[in-house]
Amino acid sequence: MTQAMTLNQRIVLVSRPQGAPVPENFRLERVALPDLADGQVLLKTLFLSLDPYMRGRMSDAPSYAAPVEIGEVMTGGAVSRIEQSRNPKFEVGDLVVGATGWQSHSISDGGNLIPVPKGLPSPSMALGVLGMPGMTAYMGLMDIGQPKAGETLVVAAASGAVGSVVGQVAKLKGLHVVGIAGGADKCRYVVEELGFDACIDHKSADFADELAQACSKGVDIYYENVGGKVFDAVLPLLNPKARIPLCGLIAGYNAHEAPTGPDRLPALQRTLLTKRVRIQGFIVFDDYGDRHPEFISAMAPWVRDGKVKFREDVVDGLEQAPEAFIGLLEGRNFGKLVVRI
């Protein structure tokens, strides 16, 4: 088969969701790829990463990155294998990470490709604990959170790709770590497998009271990746000069109207002022892309030595990506969600 006959399966955005995404927002297509030009490589996707930020790219509202246009391939990072190369920097068989999207094959000039670290149990780890989520966890905690031994850290989505790493690194730094997760199984995993000091089920009717009991000395760092009622419960527990790294707000990603209830902004502003709380949003590769080697040099030994554990939720088949992504936004996944192509 010549390269001109290589068929690419891809999932494109066909409509913008109103609220939660539905399968009808996506379409699976098959198209032929052209011959390679000089300097290009042909990539075969092995693992596709599904992440909450993709919901924002489905909207055309102003944001930190351009939206996916109607008819375009859904954006996303992936681990791929070089199938053909006309670029001297890459050889056939090399494994790389790049933002190649929801598709089985892609063509790249190599400018956006990062080699997958050698010796990983699975190359998909370059999309999780040693990829964008792990780097988000590490840089947000270390640079904005500035952890100090003996402090208390709270992190939501504690069994997920970012939250699980945040908590484990915080434990390595000597903090008291309280996770928040949805359901008894996830909470049990966070405590028994990942080593958090406690994990509170946000589905509990007494969630706010249980969180307060687990944070008897208040909260010094709240790693924010959820928002909603979780933030409401954490806010009154914040200590003076608490730090809040903000990397996501998944609880509100599907919202298409303002939340009901009282105006919470005055209480937030009052807390930020009187307790001198620092809250800082960040986009990991925009703000810390040049520090990727620092992240890998710190995280890789922890992973290799078993000091930072990871869990993957693997879905088979590109055609399953839309339903898996919908489930991600509903909290159905358990661990880092990847699609094996």
Side-chain angles (χ1 to χ4, degrees):
M1 178 180 290
T2 66
Q3 202 241 312
M5 297 175 61
T6 299
L7 287 178
N8 178 33
Q9 293 190 79
R10 63 187 190 183
I11 293 178
V12 301
L13 181 67
V14 296
S15 60
R16 301 200 185 279
Q18 301 298 315
V22 295
E24 291 74 22
N25 296 135
F26 308 92
R27 181 175 65 238
L28 178 64
E29 298 181 340
R30 291 175 175 84
V31 297
L33 291 178
D35 290 319
L36 293 182
D38 287 341
Q40 293 183 328
V41 294
L42 172 66
L43 302 169
K44 169 69 172 68
T45 305
L46 303 180
F47 294 95
L48 168 67
S49 178
L50 296 182
D51 300 284
Y53 77 84
M54 296 172 179
R55 175 61 184 86
R57 301 292 181 85
M58 297 177 74
S59 169
D60 58 1
S63 186
Y64 64 89
V68 177
E69 297 296 338
I70 300 300
E72 282 190 350
V73 176
M74 279 291 297
T75 188
V79 168
S80 302
R81 181 176 60 237
I82 305 291
E83 295 285 279
Q84 297 184 30
S85 177
R86 296 185 64 179
N87 185 320
K89 297 180 180 178
F90 299 95
E91 297 183 359
V92 172
D94 287 350
L95 298 184
V96 295
V97 178
T100 52
W102 295 23
Q103 52 188 344
S104 63
H105 297 79
S106 59
I107 293 175
S108 170
D109 65 4
N112 65 339
L113 302 180
I114 301 173
V116 172
K118 303 291 185 181
L120 300 184
S122 170
S124 59
M125 290 172 60
L127 300 172
V129 66
L130 292 176
M132 181 273 290
M135 187 170 172
T136 299
Y138 179 83
M139 298 311 307
L141 174 63
M142 299 303 295
D143 193 68
I144 301 172
Q146 299 181 0
K148 302 176 184 63
E151 292 186 323
T152 295
L153 173 139
V154 172
V155 60
S159 67
V162 174
S164 63
V165 177
V166 170
Q168 291 180 87
V169 173
K171 285 298 299 179
L172 289 171
K173 297 299 179 180
L175 277 71
H176 178 77
V177 176
V178 178
I180 299 169
D185 289 343
K186 291 182 178 180
C187 288
R188 188 178 306 111
Y189 167 77
V190 166
V191 173
E192 297 180 1
E193 295 295 325
L194 301 184
F196 288 33
D197 295 289
C199 189
I200 310 303
D201 185 352
H202 66 72
K203 298 179 181 179
S204 169
D206 300 318
F207 165 62
D209 290 340
E210 292 172 7
L211 180 63
Q213 292 174 14
C215 303
S216 59
K217 297 182 180 180
V219 176
D220 300 293
I221 305 172
Y222 173 51
Y223 195 105
E224 175 63 292
N225 54 5
V226 171
K229 71 173 186 180
V230 172
F231 184 80
D232 291 344
V234 171
L235 184 62
L237 306 178
L238 293 172
N239 286 331
K241 297 188 178 180
R243 290 84 69 198
I244 305 177
L246 169 59
C247 76
L249 296 165
I250 192 172
Y253 285 171
N254 288 332
H256 58 282
E257 58 185 19
T260 59
D263 182 2
R264 298 173 176 85
L265 182 58
L268 171 60
Q269 292 175 317
R270 188 181 309 112
T271 300
L272 296 179
L273 173 61
T274 59
K275 293 187 176 180
R276 291 144 291 163
V277 173
R278 175 186 177 191
I279 181 168
Q280 181 176 333
F282 69 102
I283 307 300
V284 68
F285 285 120
D286 287 0
D287 296 321
Y288 298 107
D290 61 338
R291 294 173 66 177
H292 185 261
E294 172 189 340
F295 157 67
I296 290 295
S297 65
M299 189 64 65
W302 286 334
V303 173
R304 183 182 60 245
D305 296 341
K307 294 180 178 179
V308 172
K309 301 178 182 179
F310 64 95
R311 177 175 178 141
E312 292 182 328
D313 192 335
V314 181
V315 175
D316 285 306
L318 180 64
E319 68 279 2
Q320 301 301 323
E323 187 60 38
F325 176 65
I326 292 168
L328 169 70
L329 297 176
E330 297 173 352
R332 282 190 250 150
N333 62 297
F334 195 161
K336 174 69 190 87
L337 184 59
V338 295
V339 179
R340 182 162 45 206
I341 309 298

